[in-house]
Amino acid sequence: QVQPVESGGGLVQPGGSLTLSCTASGSIFTTYAMGWYRSAPGKQRELVALISNSGITNYADSVKGRFTISRDNVKNTVYLQMSSLKPEDTAVYYCNALSGTYGSPYYRNYWGQGTQVTVSS
């Protein structure tokens, strides 16, 4: 199985930068799509960025041009580089590992525990 573990959260000022890391070991990391999601106070969990096993990326409109998702398959790690941070980016950020199609016997979905990101003066 894949067990994601996030790190790198903390307090940052508006306009600042922060990089989150997620290590997902315990299985074949290279076969999984990896994603970052966030849960802001009073809001549902939302997709922030995705990266497929082949390196194709996708971003929420709210973070395009500011966030970059990348992966290092040697280190079994996915990163989320965040810049020009805004107070509305404040949330708990979760790492997700996904393999297969939902409803199929090959479907696998693992979540990390989350890391807090607070953007405030």
Side-chain angles (χ1 to χ4, degrees):
Q1 66 172 18
V2 175
Q3 179 59 59
V5 179
E6 305 98 334
S7 64
L11 176 65
V12 62
Q13 72 278 9
S17 300
L18 198 65
T19 298
L20 306 181
S21 299
C22 172
T23 298
S25 59
S27 188
I28 305 176
F29 176 82
T30 55
T31 68
Y32 283 78
M34 302 296 297
W36 286 98
Y37 295 74
R38 67 187 181 187
S39 180
K43 296 182 179 180
Q44 292 282 84
R45 185 176 300 185
E46 65 176 348
L47 180 279
V48 176
L50 292 171
I51 184 165
S52 74
N53 61 329
S54 62
I56 300 173
T57 59
N58 198 6
Y59 298 91
D61 288 340
S62 60
V63 306
K64 285 182 179 178
R66 300 189 299 119
F67 291 11
T68 300
I69 188 171
S70 62
R71 65 192 296 161
D72 185 336
N73 290 335
V74 175
K75 296 182 177 180
N76 293 343
T77 301
V78 62
Y79 304 93
L80 184 67
Q81 297 174 274
M82 305 182 292
S83 62
S84 301
L85 285 162
K86 306 173 181 180
E88 50 262 45
D89 293 318
T90 296
V92 177
Y93 284 71
Y94 298 89
C95 179
N96 173 260
L98 176 67
S99 182
T101 302
Y102 182 75
S104 79
Y106 309 104
Y107 181 73
R108 300 290 185 274
N109 194 335
Y110 302 95
W111 290 92
Q113 297 298 308
T115 184
Q116 177 70 48
V117 173
T118 302
V119 184
S120 177
S121 298

